[in-house]
Amino acid sequence: MNSSGDAHFKLGVVARAGSWASRHRRVVLIGWIVLLVGSLGISRAVGSNFSNNFSLPGTESQRATDLLQRDFPAQAGDSDQIVLHAREGRITDPTVRAQVEPMLAEVARLPHVSGVVSPYSPAGAHAISRGGQIAFATVNFDERANVLPQASIERVISTAERARTAQLDVQLGGQAIEQAQKPSIGTATLVGLLAAMVILFVTFGSFVAMGLPIVTALLGLGTGIGLAGLASQVIDMPDFATELAAMIGLGVGIDYALFIVTRFRENYRRSEELQPAIDGAMDTAGRAVLFAGITVMIALLGQFALGVTFLYGLAIASVLAVLLVMLASLTVLPAALSLIGRRVGQRSRRERATAPKPGAEPRGFWVSWAQLIQRHPWPGAVAGLAIMVVLAVPALSLRLGNSDAGNDPTSQTTRQAYDLIAKGFGPGSNGPLQVVAALPHAGDAAAVTSLATALKQTTNVASVSPARISPNGQTAVFNVYPHTAPQSAATSDLVNTLRHTALPPVAHATDATILVGGQQATTIDFTSVLSSKLPLFIGLVVLLSALLLLVVFRSLVIPVQAAFMNLLSIGASLGVTVAIFQYGWLGSFFNVEGGPIEAFIPVMLFAIVFGLSMDYEVFLISRIHEEWERSRDASYAVTRGLASTGRVITAAAAIMICVFASFALGDERVLKLFGLSLATAVFLDAFVVRVVLLPSVLELLGRRTWAFPTWLERRLPRLALDPSPAPAPAGAITGDAALETRA
């Protein structure tokens, strides 16, 4: 662009919006502050209604829960354990019993507790170990753990722990207790934010330039979280949805602002004209941010195709965060730059001393790296592909499940309760299966006896509790204790054996409807539902993103390349996750033990990583396409595009890695798994795919990258990410001539 007039003539919608924001900066900035305060204030006044409403309609475990809620509400909720360990003597000693019984009676009277089975009662006699030093009381809640109020669970914990003495150890375990111990990720978010500030300062060398992306991201993120709180009133949203949204929104928000500010500084240092520099940044980087944000939201909303209500709220909260930080980047930044843009854009003394002279070729690490890739594209492509494929191999043996309390930190009561029960009764006692039978006749003793016999004769069943019959006599419930731990593959095999081999003959002979429920059965059903819908989810997201790329870049190669390389990033990160969290490689370093991978992790990993990979894809390809449109030289475009964006992409990735990796610093396994998998994915995508593999492949393809059928060109709408190229100034060196000059 040669003049401000030309620049304004060629401005696209995004740039015109940015130009309007620049001219009305007070309205924009005050408006965003009002929106932030208003959304958070109204959300606090109205209150949020977060609910971990987890249901799987049509599955066997859900049918078992529904049957219990209808006929046996006292058994429909979760059952947790208060574990008792007599350090001296036996649990049955009068002094110990005098401490325990009043505590259990008090717990039984607490809200949402439907009953307590004492180890001193006939029904709980099996809950005292052979040595007599370990016992457990079963606390039956009237709701599933995911919908129990936090305050009610905490009252059970505090009441039980008051009985703890030097002679008597009291620990608690179970799904509800586990739910109450989930840590907040506020500290991790703060660590990630501080790391982002350091990287931004190193990148820009200015506190003012550093603060601009941070403030912009926080304005959008705070507003998005406020709106997510309001959305929880109309859609089921898990209680950790806003924390997940904060992690994603903070990362992408800083990245978007970083990309725009970097382009503004380039423009300003070239012309030292403020408004044209802002308009040019919004007309290029701003368009890329808009497109990148849309692709992230498409990936997140794709979770609706899975048909699991638990994921809907997560998707909505995350989309609101991404949408608001994107809008903040496109409006707050041009408004703020019109005020302090000269301070942001000016060079420091050191930069002025080392800056190339006008008309000189740019230099530096990224220019040298781009030229190295240009000279050796085949080694770059082979090396990049080999790294990603090798890292992806462990993903082929992925085992989905639900890690049990044996993976909790040793300091937590759930882990100590788990270890005590495993020591006294065997590991299977930590996760009993729940077998529910709808009897053909009220109190049908023959059917109950046949079912109990079949359960006891099944391989890997250690013991079976006596049947509990509902008040109307129509439903019988058994607790089935495996020999193996809840997260063991053998326990999953037992569920399948009961469902498909051991129990169908009994159901046929007695006319009873027999259902296998409980936590492990629910995990199996959840995994099955996700696995059946996963191809649809992946196909939908990949197809929509590819269509957008096709329309924007007018290339048949770019959509295919983007889909393949983004999936490669996801596969490699999943492979690293399996190696660490399932195989246990480097487990001591990361303080984790081997176990199954939580079933929702691959889904969330795909949704988030695919969107973020598209961010870096768009940032790099939009710059390469811009250079291609200007020079019509494919090799030159790759070199200049990588040289121009390599620094900002790796800086943006470093910020995202710090934000995600900060969640792996704590002791919570799921947060470690989530944070480390995302940090790995971003690292591989930015530092292997975008810096090595992608430019090598595009260099090899050359002009074929931009081949596009004329008939398709005429039929597609035009959504360009870069403005129409301005005519090259007289005497400018472009294309092959530029390459020869550099050589």
Side-chain angles (χ1 to χ4, degrees):
M1 300 178 189
N2 301 325
S3 68
S4 60
D6 289 340
H8 284 288
F9 177 77
K10 294 175 182 176
L11 292 183
V13 174
V14 175
R16 288 199 298 271
S19 182
W20 183 91
S22 299
R23 296 194 307 272
H24 303 84
R25 51 181 177 262
R26 291 184 180 178
V27 173
V28 171
L29 296 176
I30 293 173
W32 268 100
I33 293 173
V34 170
L35 188 60
L36 171 66
V37 174
S39 63
L40 292 175
I42 296 173
S43 178
R44 180 179 292 272
V46 173
S48 57
N49 187 27
F50 295 110
S51 172
N52 297 319
N53 187 12
F54 186 86
S55 62
L56 297 169
T59 61
E60 185 166 330
S61 58
Q62 186 63 46
R63 288 164 57 206
T65 299
D66 294 341
L67 181 59
L68 288 174
Q69 288 175 337
R70 188 192 72 186
D71 292 343
F72 211 162
Q75 299 293 325
D78 267 300
S79 296
D80 286 27
Q81 298 82 37
I82 298 175
V83 185
L84 310 165
H85 176 215
R87 294 191 174 97
E88 298 177 2
R90 299 166 64 90
I91 289 293
T92 52
D93 290 347
T95 54
V96 176
R97 186 166 180 169
Q99 292 176 256
V100 173
E101 287 188 317
M103 176 268 289
L104 296 180
E106 185 178 353
V107 170
R109 295 190 295 269
L110 293 175
H112 291 284
V113 176
S114 61
V116 175
V117 180
S118 168
Y120 304 117
S121 68
H126 68 285
I128 299 178
S129 66
R130 290 183 180 180
Q133 288 188 306
I134 300 173
F136 65 88
T138 301
V139 180
N140 295 316
F141 291 100
D142 60 5
E143 299 280 0
R144 306 299 292 180
N146 55 310
V147 294
L148 278 171
Q150 181 92 351
S152 297
I153 305 172
E154 290 173 349
R155 287 187 67 179
V156 170
I157 295 173
S158 61
T159 302
E161 288 181 341
R162 283 202 298 269
R164 188 181 294 160
T165 65
Q167 290 75 37
L168 178 66
D169 185 21
V170 179
Q171 304 293 341
L172 296 95
Q175 289 299 311
I177 308 302
E178 193 86 43
Q179 188 80 20
Q181 290 196 137
K182 291 188 180 297
S184 169
I185 61 174
T187 302
T189 304
L190 180 60
V191 171
L193 183 61
L194 292 175
M197 293 172 67
V198 171
I199 295 169
L200 286 171
F201 180 73
V202 171
T203 301
F204 289 135
S206 162
F207 283 107
V208 176
M210 173 200 75
L212 202 49
I214 298 290
V215 171
T216 302
L218 292 179
L219 272 175
L221 182 58
T223 306
I225 289 177
L227 294 178
L230 292 174
S232 69
Q233 294 286 350
V234 295
I235 185 172
D236 289 332
M237 193 172 288
D239 54 7
F240 63 91
T242 55
E243 296 178 326
L244 176 63
M247 179 170 63
I248 299 170
L250 181 63
V252 300
I254 294 175
D255 277 8
Y256 293 165
L258 170 63
F259 192 57
I260 291 174
V261 171
T262 299
R263 192 59 185 268
F264 162 77
R265 294 182 83 185
E266 291 179 10
N267 294 345
Y268 181 78
R269 291 175 176 182
R270 190 180 302 118
S271 65
E272 295 193 353
E273 295 184 45
L274 184 60
Q275 193 58 47
I278 296 173
D279 292 343
M282 299 307 299
D283 211 22
T284 51
R287 296 193 201 198
V289 164
L290 176 63
F291 181 74
I294 290 172
T295 56
V296 172
M297 289 186 283
I298 288 174
L300 291 169
L301 289 174
Q303 293 174 90
F304 276 82
L306 294 168
V308 178
T309 55
F310 176 75
L311 298 174
Y312 295 172
L314 292 177
I316 291 295
S318 300
V319 164
L320 284 172
V322 173
L323 174 63
L324 269 296
V325 297
M326 180 188 74
L327 293 177
S329 296
L330 299 178
T331 55
V332 173
L333 276 179
L337 287 172
S338 68
L339 281 171
I340 59 173
R342 297 187 189 281
R343 295 179 62 188
V344 171
Q346 67 185 4
R347 299 181 189 271
S348 65
R349 289 183 179 179
R350 181 179 178 183
E351 288 174 327
R352 285 195 295 269
T354 58
K357 296 180 180 180
E361 280 294 309
R363 59 181 184 269
F365 171 80
W366 287 108
V367 173
S368 301
W369 178 260
Q371 292 172 346
L372 177 66
I373 291 292
Q374 185 184 25
R375 291 194 299 270
H376 307 286
W378 274 111
V382 171
L385 184 61
I387 291 171
M388 302 299 283
V389 170
V390 168
L391 291 177
V393 168
L396 298 175
S397 56
L398 170 69
R399 181 168 74 89
L400 298 177
N402 191 30
S403 58
D404 56 33
N407 288 306
D408 289 350
T410 54
S411 60
Q412 288 188 2
T413 186
T414 49
R415 173 61 183 273
Q416 295 181 47
Y418 179 96
D419 291 341
L420 286 172
I421 288 180
K423 179 181 178 181
F425 305 92
S429 297
N430 279 293
L433 305 176
Q434 199 173 51
V435 177
V436 183
L439 303 176
H441 309 290
D444 191 331
V448 172
T449 301
S450 297
L451 178 55
T453 301
L455 290 172
K456 291 175 182 177
Q457 293 176 347
T458 304
T459 303
N460 196 29
V461 171
S463 63
V464 180
S465 70
R468 301 184 301 280
I469 308 299
S470 64
N472 62 9
Q474 296 288 341
T475 304
V477 184
F478 295 86
N479 280 344
V480 179
Y481 296 89
H483 283 290
T484 49
Q487 70 177 20
S488 170
T491 303
S492 297
D493 293 339
L494 173 59
V495 173
N496 292 322
T497 299
L498 290 172
R499 285 178 169 178
H500 305 300
T501 305
L503 299 183
V506 179
H508 179 73
T510 62
D511 287 332
T513 300
I514 304 174
L515 305 168
V516 180
Q519 181 61 35
Q520 188 60 23
T522 300
T523 299
I524 291 172
D525 290 340
F526 182 47
T527 303
S528 177
V529 170
L530 288 184
S531 299
S532 64
K533 299 285 186 67
L534 200 56
L536 173 64
F537 167 50
I538 293 175
L540 186 63
V541 172
V542 170
L543 178 62
L544 289 176
S545 300
L547 287 176
L548 279 174
L549 289 173
L550 184 74
V551 172
V552 168
F553 291 116
R554 291 322 207 243
S555 165
L556 296 177
V557 168
I558 294 300
V560 175
Q561 162 270 314
F564 175 74
M565 292 187 184
N566 290 354
L567 292 174
L568 204 58
S569 296
I570 295 166
S573 64
L574 194 57
V576 173
T577 301
V578 168
I580 295 173
F581 290 89
Q582 184 174 312
Y583 295 171
W585 296 355
L586 299 177
S588 58
F589 180 80
F590 291 104
N591 194 26
V592 297
E593 298 178 21
I597 305 299
E598 269 63 18
F600 70 91
I601 290 293
V603 173
M604 295 300 297
L605 184 66
F606 175 84
I608 297 170
V609 172
F610 191 87
L612 297 180
S613 296
M614 287 296 291
D615 279 1
Y616 300 135
E617 170 82 13
V618 170
F619 292 166
L620 177 57
I621 295 297
S622 63
R623 195 60 182 266
I624 292 174
H625 187 251
E626 186 180 335
E627 297 294 342
W628 160 256
E629 289 291 319
R630 183 176 293 115
S631 69
R632 288 292 160 175
D633 186 290
S635 182
Y636 174 76
V638 170
T639 304
R640 294 294 301 125
L642 180 58
S644 301
T645 59
R647 186 184 185 204
V648 67
I649 287 175
T650 51
I655 291 170
M656 197 80 76
I657 291 166
C658 289
V659 171
F660 290 148
S662 65
F663 292 89
L665 299 177
D667 293 325
E668 178 67 21
R669 177 183 171 87
V670 172
L671 287 182
K672 279 179 174 288
L673 201 159
F674 198 74
L676 197 59
S677 61
L678 289 175
T680 302
V682 172
F683 174 83
L684 293 173
D685 192 81
F687 290 91
V688 178
V689 173
R690 307 303 157 193
V691 172
V692 180
L693 182 58
L694 175 57
S696 297
V697 170
L698 295 185
E699 179 68 31
L700 290 170
L701 291 173
R703 299 179 65 89
R704 286 169 290 186
T705 302
W706 309 108
F708 200 62
T710 305
W711 63 268
L712 190 56
E713 166 73 31
R714 290 196 300 265
R715 286 169 172 78
L716 289 179
R718 177 164 292 279
L719 298 172
L721 283 192
D722 42 72
S724 301
I733 302 175
T734 62
D736 296 331
L739 294 175
E740 292 170 4
T741 301
R742 285 200 306 280

